[in-house]
PDB file of all heavy atoms in Angstrom:
ATOM      1  N   ALA K 271      -7.071  23.506   9.697  1.00 70.00           N
ATOM      2  CA  ALA K 271      -7.552  24.719  10.170  1.00 70.00           C
ATOM      3  C   ALA K 271      -8.267  25.505   9.025  1.00 70.00           C
ATOM      4  O   ALA K 271      -9.180  26.161   9.238  1.00 70.00           O
ATOM      5  CB  ALA K 271      -6.435  25.559  10.791  1.00 70.00           C
ATOM      6  N   ALA K 272      -7.722  25.255   7.819  1.00 71.00           N
ATOM      7  CA  ALA K 272      -8.236  26.122   6.681  1.00 71.00           C
ATOM      8  C   ALA K 272      -7.879  25.370   5.351  1.00 71.00           C
ATOM      9  O   ALA K 272      -7.127  24.468   5.319  1.00 71.00           O
ATOM     10  CB  ALA K 272      -7.661  27.419   6.646  1.00 71.00           C
ATOM     11  N   ILE K 273      -8.552  25.763   4.319  1.00 77.00           N
ATOM     12  CA  ILE K 273      -8.214  25.238   2.934  1.00 77.00           C
ATOM     13  C   ILE K 273      -6.970  25.920   2.483  1.00 77.00           C
ATOM     14  O   ILE K 273      -6.939  27.109   2.061  1.00 77.00           O
ATOM     15  CB  ILE K 273      -9.407  25.529   1.960  1.00 77.00           C
ATOM     16  CG1 ILE K 273     -10.718  24.780   2.495  1.00 77.00           C
ATOM     17  CG2 ILE K 273      -9.059  25.033   0.589  1.00 77.00           C
ATOM     18  CD1 ILE K 273     -11.891  25.012   1.639  1.00 77.00           C
ATOM     19  N   ASP K 274      -5.892  25.255   2.562  1.00 83.00           N
ATOM     20  CA  ASP K 274      -4.581  25.833   2.151  1.00 83.00           C
ATOM     21  C   ASP K 274      -3.913  24.940   1.200  1.00 83.00           C
ATOM     22  O   ASP K 274      -4.395  23.892   0.808  1.00 83.00           O
ATOM     23  CB  ASP K 274      -3.737  26.188   3.353  1.00 83.00           C
ATOM     24  CG  ASP K 274      -3.570  24.971   4.295  1.00 83.00           C
ATOM     25  OD1 ASP K 274      -3.817  23.804   3.777  1.00 83.00           O
ATOM     26  OD2 ASP K 274      -3.085  25.120   5.457  1.00 83.00           O
ATOM     27  N   THR K 275      -2.560  25.195   0.864  1.00 88.00           N
ATOM     28  CA  THR K 275      -1.844  24.436  -0.077  1.00 88.00           C
ATOM     29  C   THR K 275      -1.612  22.993   0.407  1.00 88.00           C
ATOM     30  O   THR K 275      -1.773  22.054  -0.225  1.00 88.00           O
ATOM     31  CB  THR K 275      -0.524  25.181  -0.299  1.00 88.00           C
ATOM     32  OG1 THR K 275      -0.763  26.339  -0.864  1.00 88.00           O
ATOM     33  CG2 THR K 275       0.303  24.326  -1.336  1.00 88.00           C
ATOM     34  N   GLY K 276      -1.391  22.945   1.761  1.00 86.00           N
ATOM     35  CA  GLY K 276      -1.146  21.585   2.371  1.00 86.00           C
ATOM     36  C   GLY K 276      -2.407  20.752   2.205  1.00 86.00           C
ATOM     37  O   GLY K 276      -2.231  19.555   1.914  1.00 86.00           O
ATOM     38  N   LEU K 277      -3.497  21.240   2.425  1.00 91.00           N
ATOM     39  CA  LEU K 277      -4.740  20.422   2.286  1.00 91.00           C
ATOM     40  C   LEU K 277      -4.997  20.074   0.908  1.00 91.00           C
ATOM     41  O   LEU K 277      -5.404  18.895   0.631  1.00 91.00           O
ATOM     42  CB  LEU K 277      -5.976  21.256   2.896  1.00 91.00           C
ATOM     43  CG  LEU K 277      -7.298  20.636   2.759  1.00 91.00           C
ATOM     44  CD1 LEU K 277      -7.396  19.252   3.503  1.00 91.00           C
ATOM     45  CD2 LEU K 277      -8.438  21.496   3.215  1.00 91.00           C
ATOM     46  N   LEU K 278      -4.783  20.982  -0.049  1.00 94.00           N
ATOM     47  CA  LEU K 278      -5.035  20.669  -1.462  1.00 94.00           C
ATOM     48  C   LEU K 278      -4.125  19.628  -1.948  1.00 94.00           C
ATOM     49  O   LEU K 278      -4.477  18.675  -2.722  1.00 94.00           O
ATOM     50  CB  LEU K 278      -4.901  21.980  -2.310  1.00 94.00           C
ATOM     51  CG  LEU K 278      -5.944  23.029  -2.057  1.00 94.00           C
ATOM     52  CD1 LEU K 278      -5.684  24.304  -2.843  1.00 94.00           C
ATOM     53  CD2 LEU K 278      -7.336  22.527  -2.364  1.00 94.00           C
ATOM     54  N   ILE K 279      -2.798  19.639  -1.532  1.00 94.00           N
ATOM     55  CA  ILE K 279      -1.857  18.688  -1.941  1.00 94.00           C
ATOM     56  C   ILE K 279      -2.222  17.354  -1.285  1.00 94.00           C
ATOM     57  O   ILE K 279      -2.047  16.200  -1.932  1.00 94.00           O
ATOM     58  CB  ILE K 279      -0.367  19.081  -1.505  1.00 94.00           C
ATOM     59  CG1 ILE K 279       0.053  20.222  -2.292  1.00 94.00           C
ATOM     60  CG2 ILE K 279       0.616  17.936  -1.663  1.00 94.00           C
ATOM     61  CD1 ILE K 279       1.376  20.757  -1.926  1.00 94.00           C
ATOM     62  N   ALA K 280      -2.677  17.369  -0.083  1.00 92.00           N
ATOM     63  CA  ALA K 280      -3.191  16.088   0.629  1.00 92.00           C
ATOM     64  C   ALA K 280      -4.293  15.479  -0.155  1.00 92.00           C
ATOM     65  O   ALA K 280      -4.341  14.272  -0.205  1.00 92.00           O
ATOM     66  CB  ALA K 280      -3.574  16.406   2.065  1.00 92.00           C
ATOM     67  N   ILE K 281      -5.174  16.259  -0.749  1.00 95.00           N
ATOM     68  CA  ILE K 281      -6.319  15.720  -1.484  1.00 95.00           C
ATOM     69  C   ILE K 281      -5.815  15.038  -2.821  1.00 95.00           C
ATOM     70  O   ILE K 281      -6.163  14.031  -3.230  1.00 95.00           O
ATOM     71  CB  ILE K 281      -7.341  16.873  -1.738  1.00 95.00           C
ATOM     72  CG1 ILE K 281      -8.042  17.182  -0.530  1.00 95.00           C
ATOM     73  CG2 ILE K 281      -8.402  16.346  -2.827  1.00 95.00           C
ATOM     74  CD1 ILE K 281      -8.920  18.416  -0.665  1.00 95.00           C
ATOM     75  N   VAL K 282      -4.798  15.856  -3.504  1.00 96.00           N
ATOM     76  CA  VAL K 282      -4.227  15.257  -4.692  1.00 96.00           C
ATOM     77  C   VAL K 282      -3.428  13.890  -4.466  1.00 96.00           C
ATOM     78  O   VAL K 282      -3.602  12.971  -5.181  1.00 96.00           O
ATOM     79  CB  VAL K 282      -3.276  16.278  -5.319  1.00 96.00           C
ATOM     80  CG1 VAL K 282      -2.515  15.663  -6.497  1.00 96.00           C
ATOM     81  CG2 VAL K 282      -3.934  17.544  -5.768  1.00 96.00           C
ATOM     82  N   ALA K 283      -2.766  13.982  -3.324  1.00 94.00           N
ATOM     83  CA  ALA K 283      -2.093  12.658  -2.901  1.00 94.00           C
ATOM     84  C   ALA K 283      -3.073  11.548  -2.551  1.00 94.00           C
ATOM     85  O   ALA K 283      -2.827  10.387  -2.934  1.00 94.00           O
ATOM     86  CB  ALA K 283      -1.246  12.937  -1.615  1.00 94.00           C
ATOM     87  N   ALA K 284      -4.142  11.985  -1.992  1.00 95.00           N
ATOM     88  CA  ALA K 284      -5.215  10.914  -1.669  1.00 95.00           C
ATOM     89  C   ALA K 284      -5.771  10.337  -2.961  1.00 95.00           C
ATOM     90  O   ALA K 284      -5.985   9.160  -3.102  1.00 95.00           O
ATOM     91  CB  ALA K 284      -6.255  11.629  -0.832  1.00 95.00           C
ATOM     92  N   ILE K 285      -6.005  11.139  -3.972  1.00 97.00           N
ATOM     93  CA  ILE K 285      -6.403  10.720  -5.275  1.00 97.00           C
ATOM     94  C   ILE K 285      -5.475   9.757  -5.931  1.00 97.00           C
ATOM     95  O   ILE K 285      -5.829   8.675  -6.463  1.00 97.00           O
ATOM     96  CB  ILE K 285      -6.820  11.854  -6.267  1.00 97.00           C
ATOM     97  CG1 ILE K 285      -7.981  12.712  -5.650  1.00 97.00           C
ATOM     98  CG2 ILE K 285      -7.162  11.325  -7.599  1.00 97.00           C
ATOM     99  CD1 ILE K 285      -8.271  13.948  -6.411  1.00 97.00           C
ATOM    100  N   CYS K 286      -4.195  10.131  -5.862  1.00 96.00           N
ATOM    101  CA  CYS K 286      -3.186   9.263  -6.424  1.00 96.00           C
ATOM    102  C   CYS K 286      -3.178   7.893  -5.665  1.00 96.00           C
ATOM    103  O   CYS K 286      -3.108   6.834  -6.344  1.00 96.00           O
ATOM    104  CB  CYS K 286      -1.813   9.928  -6.256  1.00 96.00           C
ATOM    105  SG  CYS K 286      -1.555  11.339  -7.253  1.00 96.00           S
ATOM    106  N   ASN K 287      -3.205   7.937  -4.310  1.00 94.00           N
ATOM    107  CA  ASN K 287      -3.250   6.649  -3.597  1.00 94.00           C
ATOM    108  C   ASN K 287      -4.505   5.838  -3.825  1.00 94.00           C
ATOM    109  O   ASN K 287      -4.470   4.589  -3.747  1.00 94.00           O
ATOM    110  CB  ASN K 287      -3.076   6.977  -2.191  1.00 94.00           C
ATOM    111  CG  ASN K 287      -1.676   7.425  -1.755  1.00 94.00           C
ATOM    112  OD1 ASN K 287      -0.693   7.169  -2.533  1.00 94.00           O
ATOM    113  ND2 ASN K 287      -1.536   8.238  -0.722  1.00 94.00           N
ATOM    114  N   LEU K 288      -5.622   6.577  -4.096  1.00 96.00           N
ATOM    115  CA  LEU K 288      -6.902   5.758  -4.395  1.00 96.00           C
ATOM    116  C   LEU K 288      -6.747   5.042  -5.684  1.00 96.00           C
ATOM    117  O   LEU K 288      -7.144   3.914  -5.902  1.00 96.00           O
ATOM    118  CB  LEU K 288      -8.062   6.750  -4.391  1.00 96.00           C
ATOM    119  CG  LEU K 288      -9.385   6.127  -4.720  1.00 96.00           C
ATOM    120  CD1 LEU K 288      -9.730   4.999  -3.823  1.00 96.00           C
ATOM    121  CD2 LEU K 288     -10.524   7.164  -4.807  1.00 96.00           C
ATOM    122  N   VAL K 289      -6.171   5.774  -6.743  1.00 97.00           N
ATOM    123  CA  VAL K 289      -5.859   5.161  -8.057  1.00 97.00           C
ATOM    124  C   VAL K 289      -5.005   4.023  -7.908  1.00 97.00           C
ATOM    125  O   VAL K 289      -5.214   2.948  -8.489  1.00 97.00           O
ATOM    126  CB  VAL K 289      -5.325   6.196  -9.000  1.00 97.00           C
ATOM    127  CG1 VAL K 289      -4.893   5.473 -10.309  1.00 97.00           C
ATOM    128  CG2 VAL K 289      -6.356   7.260  -9.302  1.00 97.00           C
ATOM    129  N   ALA K 290      -4.060   4.072  -7.102  1.00 95.00           N
ATOM    130  CA  ALA K 290      -2.979   3.054  -6.842  1.00 95.00           C
ATOM    131  C   ALA K 290      -3.693   1.917  -6.143  1.00 95.00           C
ATOM    132  O   ALA K 290      -3.469   0.701  -6.597  1.00 95.00           O
ATOM    133  CB  ALA K 290      -1.897   3.597  -5.868  1.00 95.00           C
ATOM    134  N   MET K 291      -4.609   2.118  -5.183  1.00 94.00           N
ATOM    135  CA  MET K 291      -5.279   1.060  -4.490  1.00 94.00           C
ATOM    136  C   MET K 291      -6.222   0.280  -5.504  1.00 94.00           C
ATOM    137  O   MET K 291      -6.269  -0.964  -5.531  1.00 94.00           O
ATOM    138  CB  MET K 291      -6.116   1.613  -3.425  1.00 94.00           C
ATOM    139  CG  MET K 291      -5.268   1.815  -2.131  1.00 94.00           C
ATOM    140  SD  MET K 291      -4.573   0.396  -1.368  1.00 94.00           S
ATOM    141  CE  MET K 291      -5.987  -0.615  -1.023  1.00 94.00           C
ATOM    142  N   ALA K 292      -6.946   1.025  -6.313  1.00 96.00           N
ATOM    143  CA  ALA K 292      -7.770   0.451  -7.261  1.00 96.00           C
ATOM    144  C   ALA K 292      -7.011  -0.431  -8.300  1.00 96.00           C
ATOM    145  O   ALA K 292      -7.441  -1.609  -8.611  1.00 96.00           O
ATOM    146  CB  ALA K 292      -8.624   1.464  -8.068  1.00 96.00           C
TER     147      ALA K 292
END
Side-chain angles (χ1 to χ4, degrees):
I273 299 177
D274 55 13
T275 303
L277 177 59
L278 294 177
I279 292 178
I281 293 173
V282 173
I285 293 172
C286 290
N287 288 335
L288 178 59
V289 170
M291 281 297 301

